[in-house]
Amino acid sequence: MEKNDDKDPDHNDKSIIEEKADVVSDAHPPDESDGNSKENVDVGNAETEHNPEDNVESQGEEIQQTLESLSEELDQLLSSLSLHKEEHKDDNTEEKEKGDQEDDDYFQIPQFVGKFLDLLEDKLSKYDSGEPKTVWYQDQEEVSSLLEAVDRVSNLMRLLLNTKSCLDHHEPLINHAGSIQQRAMAFLEDEFRILLEESVIKETTDDTGSQRKSTEDAVVSQDNDQVTAPEPGDQEIEYPGYSEDVVALLRKIAEKMKAGGYGWECREVYLVGRRNILMRTLKQDCEFEKVSIDEVQKMSWGELEREIPIWTKTFKNCSSLFFPGEVKLAEKIFPGDEGSLFCIVAHGLTIQFLGFAEAVAMTKRSTEKLFKILDIYETLRDSFPPMEELFPEELRSELRNEVTSVRSRLGESAINIFSDLENSIKSDSSKTPVPGGAVHPLTRYTMNYLKYSCEYKDTLEQVFKSHSKMEQEEEEVPANNSACSAFASQLMRIMDLLDGNMEAKSKLYKDIPLSCIFMMNNGRYIVQKIKGSAEIHEVMGDTWCRRRSSELRNYHKSNQRETWGNLLGFLGHEGLMHNGKIVKPNLKERFKSFNATFDEIHKTQTTWVINDEQLQSELRVSITAVMIPAYRAFMARFGQYLDPGRQTEKYVKYQPEDIEDLIDELFDGNTSSSSTATAKRRT
């Protein structure tokens, strides 16, 4: 890990702590003319000057040993001075009011206190400017030594500042100790920030989809030697991705800074760092970036359609992973204060999430937006309750009200979009028939839309129940289904509108059989869509499907009667015999009329379209079953009365097999097959 030493000397090198006021506002800084200032320490009424050469050239191990040795002495001194103050507090009131009270409260500070401060300052200088740069927390003993030394300085400052006589007699020492404490706290603040921002162990996904940990972003020294971050597999690393060692060190630093009166500064570093890390994580893992309500309003639907899945993924991950991880981290580093810290980190982001959802609900309505709006609605419904529990009670009510308001807007928007679908069916009054009687585009669009809508059936039922303002729903529920939900009622109303629209469009065809083909095509498409979707079939029910299938059979019969009934009339016996003899002119005319009529039917109906292969096959089979036996019987009865050769070839244009082959060409929508009937004649 490298700390940034290339800071602007006028501003950037000042941390939160370095910008804090001096411990004693009127104190004079120690003389630094010799480059390694040492404070004169007041012992009684005399001042003993420290030798600036003492221990400066000591090696790291010797400094630590000396510092440890002095630490024991300082602990004993602080303990005895604290006891002295407690005993002094117990003096009777009269003694406390005497004029020489300050002398009674006065105590001497030994010379080793100043030396202890000097050695600590040397250690901090070594960390800041030593070559190679020292990563102090690689060594647990070094960690303990430094943090305990800082703690002792904080205790010393607290004792000195709370004793009036010390303020009067030991001002140089207080200034020196305060300067060292401020420098130590600035150092800890900087290290806290670096640890927080750079020691995250990332989780990545390998080719098999399993999670593995990466320590490439762990804190390293200047020569890239890895520190005590655990190797992958050493321990379970969850978001936010700090090892237990790092979390423990962060907590210790926070405790020492708080004990020294710098808790606020530590919290600020934590808040700024975690906010930045969280936003960076959301961008890396979810591609999420903040957008304002105005920006959402200006987005095209294509842009918004890409943003909404990112929003839903981010919100779900925050609810299940990122926000719980932030709470746990704050609890470990700042126990007892995790609620307020988490709120500061996460509350603004949560409001941003809700602002985006509300902005989407406020965009111009269009039918294609329904499903993305429902995605947002479901995300808030399912993922907000666990997220809500992470916030303290005083914020839950505010957030709950915001979510309720946003969901209401989204629900009303979804209902209005369904109303727009109704209106689009009502207003579709195109007068151009679909070529060949094929499935109308409105039928395709509406059924695919409803099929997809029914994948959100439970959500839509909840939306219509909770947010619908249409009072007529209850009145329009089908009589045979009193328990029908508001959404099911809406769905059936749309189906009725579609039926009416298709019925009106069928009348645009002048040919009744083609009108029947059009209704069969659209009806069959609707039934197959409903049967192919368990969700929409559950809403419409078996009774509705049976009724629609019955209507299709009626159209089938009408088509067959109108088209093939006339052709069968030419195969009857009436008018072909007189006094027991065949009337050949009538027979020849009958064959000619049959051929011409069949050619016209073939020419026309090969251009018609049956979209559903099964329906196409059913129609061909039913026509064959009617026509071929009748034609075969007619040929067997009367074909022999035509003279063989030229006469037979002229009037008997098709054999039964030819008729069967040509029937199999019907309803292909083939506009180039008008002349194939003659070409396929068998000889």
Side-chain angles (χ1 to χ4, degrees):
M1 175 197 70
E2 291 188 31
K3 294 192 303 181
N4 183 12
D5 291 323
D6 299 327
K7 299 179 180 177
D8 183 76
D10 296 328
H11 176 70
N12 291 333
D13 62 88
K14 287 185 176 293
S15 66
I16 295 174
I17 290 174
E18 290 168 326
E19 293 173 355
K20 192 174 182 180
D22 289 335
V23 177
V24 180
S25 60
D26 295 329
H28 298 287
D31 183 9
E32 297 181 357
S33 59
D34 61 352
N36 193 7
S37 171
K38 300 292 181 285
E39 190 75 43
N40 290 337
V41 181
D42 190 3
V43 181
N45 292 324
E47 293 186 349
T48 303
E49 184 176 310
H50 286 251
N51 184 354
E53 302 295 329
D54 290 345
N55 297 322
V56 172
E57 301 298 329
S58 300
Q59 297 299 316
E61 182 177 352
E62 294 175 341
I63 291 177
Q64 181 162 328
Q65 289 176 348
T66 306
L67 193 61
E68 289 176 349
S69 174
L70 293 178
S71 295
E72 295 178 6
E73 295 185 51
L74 182 57
D75 287 342
Q76 294 175 3
L77 174 65
L78 292 174
S79 177
S80 62
L81 292 180
S82 297
L83 181 61
H84 171 78
K85 281 184 62 65
E86 290 300 322
E87 292 175 349
H88 191 71
K89 285 181 180 179
D90 293 336
D91 290 345
N92 58 53
T93 305
E94 292 182 1
E95 290 178 344
K96 290 180 181 179
E97 294 175 352
K98 290 182 178 180
D100 59 349
Q101 174 59 29
E102 293 183 6
D103 293 333
D104 293 339
D105 192 30
Y106 173 76
F107 52 81
Q108 295 180 347
I109 303 298
Q111 181 179 354
F112 72 80
V113 174
K115 185 175 295 185
F116 176 88
L117 295 174
D118 296 338
L119 291 175
L120 176 56
E121 186 174 24
D122 290 341
K123 182 184 285 288
L124 293 173
S125 298
K126 173 185 174 183
Y127 295 151
D128 281 336
S129 59
E131 293 295 340
K133 186 174 274 299
T134 303
V135 182
W136 59 284
Y137 35 80
Q138 283 184 326
D139 186 342
Q140 289 299 318
E141 292 184 1
E142 190 76 4
V143 170
S144 298
S145 173
L146 177 63
L147 294 181
E148 288 173 5
V150 172
D151 204 27
R152 290 183 177 93
V153 173
S154 297
N155 292 336
L156 176 64
M157 283 296 298
R158 191 180 306 110
L159 184 66
L160 294 175
L161 293 174
N162 290 332
T163 306
K164 186 177 184 305
S165 63
C166 290
L167 294 174
D168 296 335
H169 297 284
H170 302 306
E171 182 178 340
L173 177 63
I174 293 175
N175 292 339
H176 189 198
S179 175
I180 299 301
Q181 184 191 36
Q182 184 172 335
R183 180 174 180 181
M185 292 300 173
F187 173 80
L188 291 181
E189 176 193 320
D190 197 31
E191 296 302 307
F192 187 92
R193 179 187 298 107
I194 294 172
L195 274 170
L196 195 68
E197 294 180 353
E198 299 184 10
S199 58
V200 176
I201 301 176
K202 293 183 177 179
E203 285 190 354
T204 57
T205 304
D206 59 21
D207 293 337
T208 64
S210 60
Q211 295 294 312
R212 68 176 188 266
K213 290 175 281 295
S214 169
T215 56
E216 59 191 19
D217 287 337
V219 179
V220 292
S221 65
Q222 192 175 29
D223 58 355
N224 292 327
D225 289 332
Q226 189 170 320
V227 300
T228 58
E231 290 293 330
D234 287 350
Q235 53 181 281
E236 191 67 24
I237 302 295
E238 298 179 351
Y239 180 84
Y242 298 105
S243 69
E244 292 179 2
D245 293 339
V246 170
V247 172
L249 181 55
L250 288 169
R251 182 177 62 248
K252 289 178 181 177
I253 293 175
E255 289 172 350
K256 300 309 179 185
M257 292 186 69
K258 181 179 180 180
Y262 290 80
W264 182 88
E265 288 80 356
C266 187
R267 290 173 83 258
E268 284 300 300
V269 170
Y270 178 85
L271 291 172
V272 172
R274 285 312 307 167
R275 269 199 298 255
N276 293 338
I277 293 169
L278 178 58
M279 292 308 302
R280 187 164 63 243
T281 301
L282 296 183
K283 183 175 182 179
Q284 292 172 349
D285 293 6
C286 306
E287 301 179 6
F288 174 80
E289 292 188 21
K290 288 184 177 181
V291 290
S292 67
I293 292 179
D294 289 340
E295 290 172 327
V296 173
Q297 295 287 315
K298 294 175 183 177
M299 284 183 180
S300 67
W301 173 239
E303 293 173 313
L304 201 54
E305 197 172 20
R306 291 188 293 271
E307 286 293 327
I308 291 174
I310 293 174
W311 181 94
T312 56
K313 177 183 178 181
T314 305
F315 193 94
K316 290 176 181 178
N317 286 346
C318 282
S319 176
S320 62
L321 176 63
F322 298 135
F323 282 9
E326 292 295 336
V327 172
K328 292 177 182 177
L329 181 65
E331 184 178 22
K332 290 177 180 178
I333 298 177
F334 299 93
D337 198 20
E338 64 275 3
S340 62
L341 288 169
F342 166 72
C343 288
I344 296 173
V345 171
H347 181 259
L349 182 58
T350 305
I351 295 298
Q352 169 70 23
F353 285 145
L354 300 181
F356 177 90
E358 185 172 20
V360 171
M362 294 166 59
T363 58
K364 184 179 179 180
R365 295 199 310 267
S366 60
T367 51
E368 68 268 18
K369 293 183 180 180
L370 174 66
F371 308 112
K372 294 302 181 185
I373 287 175
L374 293 176
D375 286 340
I376 297 176
Y377 187 94
E378 288 181 343
T379 300
L380 290 176
R381 179 195 65 195
D382 300 336
S383 298
F384 176 71
M387 180 187 291
E388 173 190 9
E389 295 299 318
L390 301 174
F391 288 91
E393 186 60 40
E394 57 269 21
L395 281 181
R396 289 181 195 174
S397 178
E398 172 202 336
L399 293 174
R400 197 180 299 123
N401 290 338
E402 286 286 336
V403 170
T404 300
S405 174
V406 172
R407 284 183 58 187
S408 179
R409 282 182 176 271
L410 292 167
E412 291 172 6
S413 180
I415 292 172
N416 289 331
I417 288 175
F418 251 90
S419 298
D420 291 343
L421 179 62
E422 281 190 49
N423 295 332
S424 68
I425 296 174
K426 291 177 183 177
S427 62
D428 189 317
S429 57
S430 59
K431 300 299 181 182
T432 304
V434 179
V439 177
H440 198 281
L442 180 62
T443 301
R444 291 184 183 276
Y445 176 79
T446 302
M447 291 310 301
N448 285 323
Y449 196 86
L450 294 180
K451 179 179 180 292
Y452 197 19
S453 298
C454 284
E455 295 182 11
Y456 293 83
K457 182 174 70 71
D458 293 340
T459 300
L460 281 167
E461 286 180 349
Q462 180 182 5
V463 165
F464 275 93
K465 181 179 180 180
S466 302
H467 308 290
S468 178
K469 297 179 180 179
M470 295 187 292
E471 299 177 356
Q472 71 271 24
E473 284 182 353
E474 299 252 343
E475 301 172 5
E476 296 187 12
V477 171
N480 63 344
N481 191 2
S482 58
C484 185
S485 69
F487 169 63
S489 175
Q490 180 80 6
L491 195 65
M492 290 182 178
R493 190 159 51 246
I494 291 175
M495 293 300 302
D496 290 341
L497 287 171
L498 183 61
D499 283 344
N501 191 293
M502 292 301 107
E503 185 72 33
K505 292 186 187 312
S506 71
K507 292 179 171 55
L508 298 173
Y509 296 98
K510 297 178 180 179
D511 194 335
I512 294 177
L514 181 56
S515 174
C516 293
I517 293 293
F518 175 78
M519 292 303 292
M520 277 192 286
N521 270 324
N522 284 273
R524 182 66 167 233
Y525 185 85
I526 291 171
V527 170
Q528 292 301 101
K529 281 292 181 181
I530 291 175
K531 288 184 176 180
S533 169
E535 291 83 6
I536 193 171
H537 184 268
E538 181 182 350
V539 175
M540 302 308 296
D542 290 327
T543 302
W544 188 94
C545 290
R546 284 194 297 268
R547 185 174 69 249
R548 180 51 61 90
S549 297
S550 177
E551 293 172 0
L552 291 179
R553 286 191 294 271
N554 291 335
Y555 288 121
H556 184 174
K557 292 176 183 177
S558 297
N559 171 69
Q560 192 160 301
R561 182 175 60 252
E562 291 289 336
T563 302
W564 303 100
N566 293 334
L567 189 62
L568 285 172
F570 295 115
L571 302 180
H573 296 183
E574 296 80 4
L576 297 181
M577 298 185 68
H578 183 71
N579 294 328
K581 294 183 178 180
I582 298 297
V583 182
K584 282 191 176 183
N586 291 353
L587 179 61
K588 292 176 182 179
E589 188 62 32
R590 188 69 63 83
F591 270 111
K592 286 174 63 177
S593 298
F594 177 88
N595 293 337
T597 302
F598 181 79
D599 285 346
E600 183 62 29
I601 291 173
H602 180 270
K603 176 182 177 180
T604 301
Q605 296 199 10
T606 51
T607 65
W608 294 358
V609 178
I610 298 292
N611 300 93
D612 183 82
E613 291 184 2
Q614 183 179 348
L615 178 60
Q616 184 188 67
S617 177
E618 289 173 0
L619 280 174
R620 289 171 176 174
V621 168
S622 67
I623 293 169
T624 299
V626 171
M627 289 304 303
I628 299 304
Y631 187 70
R632 196 184 299 276
F634 186 81
M635 284 287 296
R637 177 73 176 82
F638 298 105
Q640 58 184 314
Y641 294 105
L642 298 175
D643 296 335
R646 184 177 179 184
Q647 195 176 61
T648 300
E649 183 177 337
K650 180 179 180 180
Y651 295 107
V652 183
K653 189 175 182 178
Y654 302 112
Q655 295 299 318
E657 293 79 8
D658 298 328
I659 299 292
E660 189 171 357
D661 288 343
L662 293 171
I663 288 173
D664 283 341
E665 293 179 353
L666 303 179
F667 316 123
D668 268 340
N670 187 357
T671 57
S672 64
S673 63
S674 58
S675 61
T676 59
T678 302
K680 288 201 173 188
R681 177 185 173 189
R682 296 185 183 183
T683 58

